[in-house]
Amino acid sequence: MSIGVMPIKLQETAMSSVNTREQEFSRIAFEHMDAIYSTALRLARNEQDAEDLVQDTYMRAFRFFDKFEPGTNFKAWLFKILTNTFINSYRKKTRQPQRVDFDKVSYALPEEEKTDNHVKESSPRNFNPELYRKLFDDQITDALDRLTDDFRLVVVLCDIHGFSYKEIADIIGTPIGTVMSRLSRARKILQKILEEYAAKEGFIKRRQAE
Amino acid sequence: MGKKCETIQPLITGFIDEELPADQQQDVAGHLEQCATCSELYRQERAVKEAVRENVRMAVTPVHLRQNIRSRISEAAASAPGFLKALQQVFSAYKLKSAFALTLLIIVAGMPYLRTGGLSSPHRAGQGEWIVMEGSAVCIDCELLKQKNHEGHHPHPGAHRTALRTKDGLIWSFLQTEQGIDLINNQNVLNKKIRVRGYRLQDQKYIEVEGFEII
Ligand SMILES: [Zn+2]
Ligand SMILES: [Zn+2]
């Protein structure tokens, strides 16, 4: 009798039909999980919050999957959800406070403040880009973690994940010009921090002013 | 600071990221060749970008997190309002409404299966684990030949078939699922380091591939 066989076959057919959305989502979304998780780590700066953030991002993305327009950039769409989730629910309650042990310099420079002159003065004359290579990768990650959220985010999106300015503008919801000026400031602040590290390690002389 | 410098310096960031229109890119490049001040700024900013790009590593998603998300999405999919409706549609399409209740029963009873990857792979239950494995992509046929005659000179018939050799020397082949077959036939990954994630079947040296990347 085929009765024992039939339901099982049917069952598979039914499953594949109702799971189409789930399967399609998994197929295109799961391959970005390492990128999303890496970014979540840099945003939340601790593993527990990062995991929650990734989980929330994926659940939201799945819930709103119908709203995704096929043919557009899915990875950027996913990053947009990540960013919004972070800004709306995590930024306020991150468990790890911003570290403040780094001298008296505030890296949360207001947007209007011009950093250019200050940075130029303070850069050692014999600056050699190669010296960054001597820093450990966790020192560079650490430096990145010192930036305020807005600055850190554009650096992560541009320099680690290689998104274009247009994609970043879309992800964080700002004009392209803002992306570029934020990146510019963020890198200058990073440069200052990295120089400090290099000085501490003895690769370059500490600045006279200090 | 010259007038030209004033217009060039705000563009250095965009120049580094190659985001400026072609004529501006050229303009900046031309100025950098002549101006020591601006080219120094350029050098410094590019060094920062490269330090970040080269040193801040991509993290690998913890296996438990990946599993967790997978099962929560399965649950969400199964409990979505459209679920029963979709089932009914399938059954009415088959004109077998009477089988609906019975099958629903089986599906509900089989829910745990769903969470671990669906009915299409019943062998999964409790026999393996989700993994992320790294190693070199090798051709399993070439490897077999090498083991047989100590020199891989005699070509085997057919195309190379990719498998994963882990650090400990073990060779893992891939189950012939859709993704598995893609990887087996992928000639571009051969002799490269790859990271494979999926489901490892404990007893046999097989991986059910979910995804992979060259590292
Ligand atoms: Zn100049
Ligand atoms: Zn071969």
Side-chain angles (χ1 to χ4, degrees):
Chain A
M1 290 272 141
S2 60
I3 267 186
V5 180
M6 284 284 280
I8 290 167
K9 274 193 172 168
L10 281 171
Q11 192 179 326
E12 282 179 4
T13 315
M15 285 332 322
S16 65
S17 162
V18 292
N19 280 353
T20 305
R21 185 166 170 270
E22 179 190 348
Q23 282 167 355
E24 177 61 8
F25 179 79
S26 304
R27 191 179 67 74
I28 64 176
F30 279 33
E31 66 181 275
H32 302 302
M33 206 181 283
D34 286 348
I36 291 286
Y37 177 65
S38 305
T39 307
L41 267 180
R42 294 279 65 76
L43 289 177
R45 291 176 298 183
N46 75 71
E47 286 174 13
Q48 189 51 56
D49 281 338
E51 289 190 14
D52 291 350
L53 184 51
V54 174
Q55 189 142 225
D56 285 1
T57 300
Y58 270 83
M59 294 315 292
R60 263 186 216 207
F62 183 59
R63 209 177 324 140
F64 297 119
F65 191 37
D66 297 336
K67 301 225 163 76
F68 170 69
E69 289 169 39
T72 61
N73 187 336
F74 183 78
K75 190 180 178 187
W77 185 75
L78 210 52
F79 268 79
K80 189 174 188 163
I81 294 177
L82 171 76
T83 306
N84 287 340
T85 308
F86 172 72
I87 289 167
N88 293 333
S89 32
Y90 286 80
R91 180 132 75 171
K92 288 158 205 147
K93 62 146 197 144
T94 31
R95 282 162 214 187
Q96 198 172 307
Q98 295 243 2
R99 278 172 286 172
V100 286
D101 57 352
F102 196 70
D103 297 344
K104 63 262 159 197
V105 189
S106 166
Y107 296 108
L109 296 176
E111 286 266 333
E112 317 81 53
E113 187 173 337
K114 280 259 180 184
T115 57
D116 305 41
N117 292 328
H118 180 49
V119 170
K120 246 187 287 168
E121 284 170 299
S122 64
S123 292
R125 286 247 174 82
N126 59 346
F127 171 81
N128 177 5
E130 286 298 310
L131 67 88
Y132 292 151
R133 293 185 200 283
K134 293 183 183 162
L135 289 173
F136 294 111
D137 52 2
D138 60 341
Q139 284 177 302
I140 292 172
T141 305
D142 200 65
L144 190 57
D145 283 0
R146 284 169 185 280
L147 298 180
T148 52
D149 296 338
D150 289 343
F151 286 157
R152 195 164 65 251
L153 187 55
V154 288
V155 173
V156 167
L157 293 175
C158 179
D159 295 343
I160 299 176
H161 295 292
F163 282 113
S164 69
Y165 286 3
K166 183 164 183 324
E167 288 167 329
I168 298 172
D170 193 43
I171 290 170
I172 66 177
T174 63
I176 291 178
T178 309
V179 173
M180 185 158 95
S181 66
R182 253 185 221 175
L183 262 174
S184 173
R185 288 205 180 85
R187 287 182 187 148
K188 286 187 173 90
I189 299 165
L190 267 179
Q191 185 190 337
K192 272 164 62 80
I193 303 175
L194 292 177
E195 274 171 20
E196 278 301 317
Y197 285 168
K200 276 180 189 164
E201 299 282 342
F203 297 145
I204 53 172
K205 271 194 187 167
R206 253 180 179 280
R207 289 180 221 143
Q208 300 288 32
E210 293 169 19
Chain B
M1 188 160 76
K3 221 174 164 111
K4 187 71 179 168
C5 298
E6 269 176 57
T7 57
I8 292 295
Q9 284 177 10
L11 300 176
I12 289 177
T13 300
F15 175 75
I16 288 172
D17 295 322
E18 295 172 27
E19 287 276 354
L20 304 178
D23 55 332
Q24 273 188 349
Q25 286 283 139
Q26 271 180 0
D27 211 23
V28 176
H31 179 75
L32 292 183
E33 270 175 30
Q34 301 158 5
C35 176
T37 313
C38 292
S39 74
E40 180 62 14
L41 287 174
Y42 159 74
R43 229 159 57 90
Q44 292 179 0
E45 183 170 336
R46 210 190 57 179
V48 172
K49 182 186 170 85
E50 275 164 17
V52 171
R53 188 172 57 194
E54 288 165 17
N55 289 286
V56 181
R57 287 164 188 268
M58 287 273 275
V60 176
T61 316
V63 175
H64 69 263
L65 176 60
R66 192 171 276 278
Q67 264 172 302
N68 222 344
I69 290 172
R70 176 182 293 281
S71 56
R72 282 192 58 192
I73 285 174
S74 288
E75 277 169 35
S79 64
F83 179 68
L84 290 181
K85 219 175 173 186
L87 263 187
Q88 272 164 337
Q89 276 169 3
V90 170
F91 279 91
S92 62
Y94 279 81
K95 297 192 166 71
L96 278 169
K97 278 181 186 160
S98 56
F100 175 69
L102 171 64
T103 307
L104 188 59
L105 207 71
I106 295 171
I107 289 171
V108 171
M111 275 305 184
Y113 267 116
L114 279 179
R115 302 210 181 103
T116 54
L119 295 153
S120 53
S121 356
H123 56 261
R124 274 173 174 174
Q127 291 170 19
E129 59 184 333
W130 290 102
I131 44 91
V132 177
M133 286 172 95
E134 291 177 3
S136 344
V138 295
C139 166
I140 195 157
D141 296 316
C142 291
E143 291 299 315
L144 286 173
L145 272 179
K146 267 187 221 163
Q147 283 176 13
K148 264 190 209 155
N149 52 28
H150 296 281
E151 41 180 341
H153 293 313
H154 308 288
H156 55 77
H160 298 299
R161 292 187 304 151
T162 305
L164 178 73
R165 183 169 57 210
T166 44
K167 240 185 183 169
D168 48 18
L170 290 176
I171 295 178
W172 301 77
S173 22
F174 308 118
L175 269 192
Q176 301 207 358
T177 56
E178 203 176 302
Q179 282 102 326
I181 291 169
D182 279 349
L183 185 48
I184 291 168
N185 294 333
N186 190 325
Q187 310 283 313
N188 297 328
V189 298
L190 281 175
N191 302 319
K192 287 179 185 153
K193 292 252 173 237
I194 56 170
R195 177 184 298 138
V196 178
R197 62 174 147 266
Y199 197 79
R200 181 169 66 184
L201 302 169
Q202 212 60 282
D203 299 337
Q204 310 106 318
K205 287 187 208 127
Y206 274 110
I207 301 171
E208 185 168 343
V209 180
E210 183 192 279
F212 73 93
E213 63 199 321
I214 297 170
I215 52 176

